[in-house]
Structures are given as C-alpha cells and as structure tokens.
C-alpha cells in the first residue's frame, strides 16, 4: 500500500461513522500507550467461537 497506515485508519474510521456501522461490525481500537495495551490484554472479555466455527 502506498498510503500511510494512519491515513488508511482515518478513512476506515470515517467509513464506520458515515455508514453507522455497529453491532455486528467492530473496528478494533488502537493505541501506542503501553499502559492502555496492558489493561486491554488483562481486562477484555475473551470471545469464544461456537465449536462449529473453529478456524
């Protein structure tokens, strides 16, 4: 890709806003803050897939 990541990310965020995407659609948050990442890794609920949809 010839477009920097931060520009692609901004376009994707705008798409979610413009289209009102929610519920089944989720844009994962991002950060460069180590403390925030550590909190995410220890506190987010683990999502489980049904047995029929194991990847």
């Amino acid at each position: 890709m010839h477009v920097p990541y931060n520009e692609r990310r901004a376009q994707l965020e705008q798409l979610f806003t413009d289209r009102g995407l929610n519920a089944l659609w989720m844009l994962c948050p991002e950060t460069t803050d180590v403390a925030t990442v550590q909190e995410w890794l220890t506190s987010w609920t683990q999502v489980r897939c049904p047995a029929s949809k194991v990847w």
Side-chain angles (χ1 to χ4, degrees):
M1 299 226 121
H2 299 289
V3 179
Y5 173 78
N6 63 335
E7 290 180 32
R8 295 192 320 266
R9 174 70 185 210
Q11 291 173 0
L12 186 58
E13 290 174 356
Q14 190 61 54
L15 175 71
F16 270 66
T17 299
D18 293 347
R19 301 290 172 98
L21 298 176
N22 55 30
L24 296 176
W25 297 92
M26 181 178 177
L27 183 59
C28 294
E30 69 172 343
T31 186
T32 57
D33 180 64
V34 174
T36 300
V37 171
Q38 289 172 332
E39 189 272 328
W40 289 346
L41 292 173
T42 58
S43 67
W44 280 26
T45 303
Q46 188 176 29
V47 176
R48 299 184 192 280
C49 295
S52 63
K53 296 192 178 194
V54 174
W55 313 38

